[in-house]
């Protein structure tokens, strides 16, 4: 209708050029085309209500509004175009991400030069993830450091134990070499001394029997000299016993019975010196041992306890089974050395007595070691000595021998 095109609004036939035009106020698209003959024009018009509605639905404004509503996107906007679309904040790449703080909320913003589009994304999850990664990194560093410290301590402990074991083996080897040297020397000395001692002893015995003119004092002197020779002969026997190699003949032996029999031989002397004796044998398992050698162990230990308590005391003997070994504890009072010197009493020629060679406990240690056993010295209370010897049970020693043979 002609009233759709007011002259003041759009003189459609003023300059028809065949270009599609839009009249938003009328929701109209029209195409004016000049006539070939005569003035005026031919105009084709279409209503644009549906097209404008569709454009509102799919247009850039609706698109920006929809994008802004998406999760994590705070805003998408178009800013006024500038002559130089590459410009931005000084020293900042226009296409780079810029982090902003919007009322405590972290925003990641990127500006694109085409159309001066600006997109702002929520940067809180990014910063939270970054903080979480730092925390995990620090936790990993702490855990790695803790593991390093733990394994360093474990390695140090293992090395210390290994070094201590090597030192113990070296001390044992040094002791064995020393024992071997002392043994060879003692055997040679004992052999050389015994012959003249035997001659002196025979001469004194003959003198005592055949010299009728000897007085009482002379005969007493001869008897004293014979006693001194007897003690010297006993010392030589100990030296020879310590020097000779030990080859135990293993049989089932009960330690409790061996020590009870040896204690019975000295019971009178213990009572004379007011020494209380006690032997506790709740179980007495048979061990693999040489009866003769173990009797020497019992005799030496009991004599050592007797000689250490001239003014009275006590002696306590107890047996037990520990795993695959028979164990015997012997305690007595009268120990006068400091606790740190307790281990020295098993050293050859170490003694605190006025008489003796100091070989008694050294012989005990050699015999116990020859039985694949162990000898431990401790001072549980002041002036109380405890000696613990452990020997493999009968049958277990044969298993160890069999294992050693295969090794």
């Amino acid at each position: 209708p002609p009233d759709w095109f007011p002259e003041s609004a759009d003189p459609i036939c003023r300059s028809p050029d065949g270009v599609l035009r839009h009249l938003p106020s009328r929701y109209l698209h029209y195409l004016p085309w000049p006539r070939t003959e005569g003035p005026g024009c031919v105009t084709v018009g279409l209503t644009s209500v549906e097209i404008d509605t569709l454009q509102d639905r799919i247009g850039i404004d609706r698109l920006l509004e929809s994008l802004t509503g998406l999760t994590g996107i705070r805003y998408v906007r178009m800013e006024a175009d500038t002559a130089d679309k590459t410009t931005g904040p000084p020293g900042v790449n226009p296409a780079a991400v810029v982090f902003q703080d919007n009322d405590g909320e972290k925003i990641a913003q990127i500006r694109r030069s085409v159309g001066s589009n600006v997109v702002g994304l929520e940067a809180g999850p990014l910063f939270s993830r970054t903080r979480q990664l730092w925390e995990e990194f620090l936790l990993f560093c702490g855990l790695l450091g803790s593991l390093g410290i733990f394994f360093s301590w474990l390695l140090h402990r293992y090395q210390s134990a290994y070094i201590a074991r090597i030192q113990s083996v070296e001390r044992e080897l040094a002791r064995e070499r020393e024992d071997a040297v002392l043994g060879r020397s003692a055997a040679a000395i004992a052999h050389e001394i015994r012959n003249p001692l035997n001659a002196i002893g025979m001469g004194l015995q003959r003198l005592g029997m055949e010299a009728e003119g000897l007085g009482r004092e002379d005969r007493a002197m001869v008897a004293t000299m014979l006693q001194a020779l007897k003690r010297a002969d006993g010392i030589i026997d100990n030296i020879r016993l310590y020097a000779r190699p030990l080859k135990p003949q293993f049989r089932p032996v009960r330690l409790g019975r061996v020590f009870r029999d040896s204690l019975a031989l000295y019971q009178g002397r213990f009572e004379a010196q007011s020494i209380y004796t006690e032997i506790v044998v709740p179980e007495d398992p048979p061990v693999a041992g040489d009866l003769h050698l173990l009797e020497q162990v019992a005799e030496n230990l009991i004599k050592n306890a007797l000689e250490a308590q001239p003014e009275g005391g006590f002696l306590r003997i107890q047996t037990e089974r520990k795993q695959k070994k028979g164990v015997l504890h012997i305690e007595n009072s009268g120990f006068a050395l400091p606790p740190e010197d307790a281990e020295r009493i098993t050293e050859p020629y170490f003694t605190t007595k006025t008489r003796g060679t100091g070989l008694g406990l050294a012989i005990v240690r050699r015999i116990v070691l020859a039985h694949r056993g162990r000898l431990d010295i401790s001072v549980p209370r002041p002036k109380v000595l405890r000696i613990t010897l452990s020997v493999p049970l009968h049958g277990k020693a044969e298993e160890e021998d069999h294992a050693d043979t295969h090794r």
Side-chain angles (χ1 to χ4, degrees), residues 34-70:
R35 296 176 60 187
T36 58
E37 296 180 358
C41 66
V42 178
T43 303
V44 179
L46 298 173
T47 179
S48 65
V49 175
E50 290 82 0
I51 296 176
D52 292 342
T53 303
L54 179 61
Q55 185 175 359
D56 290 340
R57 291 179 179 178
I58 67 175
I60 189 66
D61 294 335
R62 179 59 62 87
L63 176 62
L64 297 179
E65 181 181 353
S66 299
L67 290 176
T68 304
L70 294 177

Side-chain angles (χ1 to χ4, degrees), residues 66 84 265 286 320 357:
S66 299
D84 185 4
L265 298 176
E320 62 177 336
T357 60

Side-chain angles (χ1 to χ4, degrees), residues 226-272:
L226 287 173
Q227 289 293 329
L229 285 175
K230 184 176 181 181
R231 285 196 302 270
D233 190 66
I235 292 172
I236 293 175
D237 285 339
N238 285 335
I239 293 175
R240 293 182 62 188
L241 178 61
Y242 180 78
R244 71 181 183 185
L246 299 177
K247 296 181 180 179
Q249 301 296 321
F250 293 108
R251 297 288 186 274
V253 179
R254 297 184 183 274
L255 290 176
R257 182 178 301 173
V258 171
F259 274 77
R260 182 184 288 110
D261 294 342
S262 297
L263 182 61
L265 298 176
Y266 291 89
Q267 190 63 42
R269 296 181 59 182
F270 276 101
E271 293 177 356

Side-chain angles (χ1 to χ4, degrees), residues 151-190:
F151 284 112
S152 298
W153 170 81
L154 193 64
L155 179 61
H156 173 71
R157 183 177 179 182
Y158 173 78
Q159 288 180 338
S160 299
Y162 183 72
I163 292 173
R165 183 179 178 184
I166 291 177
Q167 292 175 345
S168 176
V169 173
E170 289 178 347
R171 285 194 299 268
E172 189 64 28
L173 290 176
R175 179 180 293 181
E176 290 182 359
R177 286 194 295 266
E178 181 182 353
D179 290 347
V181 173
L182 289 175
R184 288 193 296 268
S185 302
I189 294 172

Side-chain angles (χ1 to χ4, degrees), residues 8-175:
S8 59
D10 189 6
I12 59 176
C13 290
R14 179 175 300 176
S15 55
D17 52 6
V19 177
L20 183 65
R21 299 180 183 181
H22 182 218
L23 188 62
S25 61
R26 298 292 184 176
Y27 299 102
L28 181 69
H29 286 279
Y30 64 92
L31 177 66
W33 195 267
R35 296 176 60 187
T36 58
E37 296 180 358
C41 66
V42 178
T43 303
V44 179
L46 298 173
T47 179
S48 65
V49 175
E50 290 82 0
I51 296 176
D52 292 342
T53 303
L54 179 61
Q55 185 175 359
D56 290 340
R57 291 179 179 178
I58 67 175
I60 189 66
D61 294 335
R62 179 59 62 87
L63 176 62
L64 297 179
E65 181 181 353
S66 299
L67 290 176
T68 304
L70 294 177
T71 302
I73 300 179
R74 283 293 174 262
Y75 57 81
V76 179
R77 65 173 181 264
M78 296 184 64
E79 297 182 347
D81 201 0
T82 60
D84 185 4
K85 297 180 181 181
T86 63
T87 61
V92 178
N93 184 1
V97 178
V98 179
F99 293 99
Q100 299 179 352
D101 193 350
N102 185 15
D103 296 333
E105 181 182 20
K106 297 294 184 180
I107 300 295
Q109 176 179 289
I110 184 171
R111 183 187 301 271
R112 304 300 297 178
S113 62
V114 179
S116 297
N117 300 326
V118 179
V119 180
L121 303 177
E122 181 181 355
L126 174 63
F127 282 88
S128 298
R129 182 57 180 166
T130 303
R131 184 171 57 254
Q132 182 182 1
L133 289 175
W134 272 108
E135 292 175 354
E136 291 177 354
F137 174 73
L138 294 177
L139 180 62
F140 174 75
C141 291
L143 180 61
L144 188 62
S146 300
L147 289 176
I149 294 174
F150 171 74
F151 284 112
S152 298
W153 170 81
L154 193 64
L155 179 61
H156 173 71
R157 183 177 179 182
Y158 173 78
Q159 288 180 338
S160 299
Y162 183 72
I163 292 173
R165 183 179 178 184
I166 291 177
Q167 292 175 345
S168 176
V169 173
E170 289 178 347
R171 285 194 299 268
E172 189 64 28
L173 290 176
R175 179 180 293 181

Side-chain angles (χ1 to χ4, degrees), residues 387-404:
I387 299 177
T388 301
L389 59 94
S390 55
V391 181
L393 297 176
H394 179 64
K396 303 302 178 183
E398 296 177 358
E399 295 177 3
E400 294 179 2
D401 287 338
H402 182 69
D404 289 343

